[in-house]
Amino acid sequence: MDTRIETIKKELRNQTTIPYFGLGVFEGIMTKEGEAVPHDSDSLILAMNGGRAMAPRLMFEYSRAAMHLEQRRGVEYMTQLINHIYTKPFEPTPLHKAIVDMSPRYIIDTNRDTKLQELLAYTPHVLIIGKSRIMGHLNRYEVYEYDVENQKYFLVEDEVLDNAEKILFKPMGSPFPNPSFVISDADYVDWLTEAMSGFAVPKILKTYRKAKKYLFLGTSFDHDTDRMVANELSLDLEGGYVITDKELGKKEKKFIEKHNLEVIPMSLPEFIKAFV
């Protein structure tokens, strides 16, 4: 197993494997106030609902729970709520730090926090923020160039990606530079519809990602939404790795087989210990 982990590290450094962060990377992580950072669908729902469980049909998946809250309180309320959850201070995890230290050109982060942005605060990079339900434009993303000297992001055209040395793609949004999130069922339906039409990933990245492997970290494929997002973001992949010691369901197995992924049978904490 040590040999396999060393191979993955080498592939990350030589840009043949793309790291892909999911909610599970936050398991066991606490904010500075002592609150647990959401690390799966259930804990995210509890965070959205003041620590209280919701009806079983809403607890099925956080996007469904978010849709319920949005219908009751409005889109702006949901944006402020998710922004509040993910701007509570906590340290980047050892895994975030280790991946950034390996200097991959392209990182996909499907979480809604700013930890990778914080770690890249002194590194020139281009940030892609996923968007949903925007009027007058088919693209479901915005591209920002980071100015290290002024510590600011500036909205730019896709062409900047051609020569970008480092690209951070946050398809489900971020609090920074402007709070914007893909979180509810309606957000996901819109994002996925346009993704399937080719409007959720910049053209330059569609070329770059061909024949690359993916390292899925803290990513579960037991919900349809997560599988569909992963499928759209990893089209033309060569294969890759899934870190999990959990028993896989029928749909998860099918996704893993279809995408030629190798299961590394370790818990994420075990993997991190061996990896960092």
Side-chain angles (χ1 to χ4, degrees), residues 89-140:
F90 65 97
E91 289 296 316
T93 73
L95 185 59
H96 285 92
K97 291 174 184 172
I99 293 290
V100 168
D101 284 348
M102 286 171 193
S103 207
R105 184 188 179 210
Y106 179 34
I107 300 173
I108 298 174
D109 182 12
T110 63
N111 294 318
R112 298 167 181 84
D113 62 283
T114 59
K115 296 307 120 182
L116 286 169
Q117 289 168 265
E118 289 167 29
L119 288 170
L120 294 172
Y122 299 98
T123 305
H125 63 276
V126 177
L127 171 70
I128 306 165
I129 295 282
K131 310 286 285 187
S132 69
R133 295 191 282 176
I134 51 177
M135 303 298 288
H137 210 299
L138 287 172
N139 286 345
R140 289 306 185 255

Side-chain angles (χ1 to χ4, degrees), residues 238-257:
E238 186 74 24
Y241 313 94
V242 179
I243 316 301
T244 185
D245 64 345
K246 292 172 184 166
E247 192 170 337
L248 297 168
K250 193 175 175 182
K251 289 184 177 179
E252 291 174 284
K253 284 179 183 172
K254 188 176 177 183
F255 181 91
I256 286 167
E257 285 167 15

Side-chain angles (χ1 to χ4, degrees), residues 2-269:
D2 287 349
T3 311
R4 173 58 74 234
I5 289 171
E6 287 306 314
T7 299
I8 292 170
K9 285 183 180 181
K10 188 176 176 183
E11 290 171 358
L12 288 166
R13 289 192 185 103
N14 68 20
Q15 321 297 334
T16 55
T17 289
I18 296 166
Y20 183 113
F21 285 83
L23 263 176
V25 298
F26 293 122
E27 187 166 2
I29 303 298
M30 308 294 283
T31 68
K32 289 183 179 174
E33 282 85 31
E35 295 177 40
V37 178
H39 69 276
D40 61 9
S41 182
D42 284 359
S43 58
L44 182 50
I45 293 170
L46 294 175
M48 290 192 290
N49 201 42
R52 300 180 304 276
M54 299 177 78
R57 66 181 179 83
L58 300 175
M59 290 297 295
F60 176 72
E61 192 169 6
Y62 69 77
S63 58
R64 189 180 292 183
M67 191 73 239
H68 176 76
L69 291 170
E70 182 188 298
Q71 286 169 339
R72 288 178 56 206
R73 308 292 291 272
V75 175
E76 188 55 38
Y77 170 81
M78 280 309 301
T79 301
Q80 290 174 1
L81 175 62
I82 301 303
N83 187 58
H84 173 68
I85 291 168
Y86 284 108
T87 51
K88 291 178 180 179
F90 65 97
E91 289 296 316
T93 73
L95 185 59
H96 285 92
K97 291 174 184 172
I99 293 290
V100 168
D101 284 348
M102 286 171 193
S103 207
R105 184 188 179 210
Y106 179 34
I107 300 173
I108 298 174
D109 182 12
T110 63
N111 294 318
R112 298 167 181 84
D113 62 283
T114 59
K115 296 307 120 182
L116 286 169
Q117 289 168 265
E118 289 167 29
L119 288 170
L120 294 172
Y122 299 98
T123 305
H125 63 276
V126 177
L127 171 70
I128 306 165
I129 295 282
K131 310 286 285 187
S132 69
R133 295 191 282 176
I134 51 177
M135 303 298 288
H137 210 299
L138 287 172
N139 286 345
R140 289 306 185 255
Y141 63 84
E142 290 178 341
V143 180
Y144 292 87
E145 191 165 23
Y146 185 67
D147 180 343
V148 174
E149 193 176 335
N150 295 301
Q151 304 265 292
K152 283 184 179 178
Y153 286 105
F154 294 93
L155 195 61
V156 292
E157 298 298 323
D158 290 18
E159 285 70 29
V160 168
L161 293 162
D162 277 332
N163 301 311
E165 290 184 15
K166 198 165 292 295
I167 300 165
L168 174 60
F169 189 6
K170 292 187 66 65
M172 304 299 114
S174 172
F176 190 62
N178 306 301
S180 173
F181 307 99
V182 175
I183 185 73
S184 71
D185 276 346
D187 291 330
Y188 274 108
V189 167
D190 177 79
W191 188 90
L192 284 163
T193 300
E194 297 306 334
M196 289 170 189
S197 301
F199 297 111
V201 177
K203 192 175 178 181
I204 297 157
L205 286 183
K206 290 176 189 173
T207 303
Y208 176 77
R209 70 186 180 184
K210 283 183 178 176
K212 295 283 195 295
K213 291 182 182 176
Y214 287 71
L215 173 63
F216 289 98
L217 299 160
T219 309
S220 173
F221 302 115
D222 56 348
H223 286 113
D224 291 348
T225 304
D226 293 328
R227 284 196 306 277
M228 291 166 80
V229 168
N231 185 65
E232 290 305 318
L233 293 173
S234 65
L235 290 174
D236 300 316
L237 87 170
E238 186 74 24
Y241 313 94
V242 179
I243 316 301
T244 185
D245 64 345
K246 292 172 184 166
E247 192 170 337
L248 297 168
K250 193 175 175 182
K251 289 184 177 179
E252 291 174 284
K253 284 179 183 172
K254 188 176 177 183
F255 181 91
I256 286 167
E257 285 167 15
K258 182 186 171 186
H259 291 79
N260 194 30
L261 303 176
E262 177 185 345
V263 176
I264 308 290
M266 303 173 82
S267 69
L268 195 59

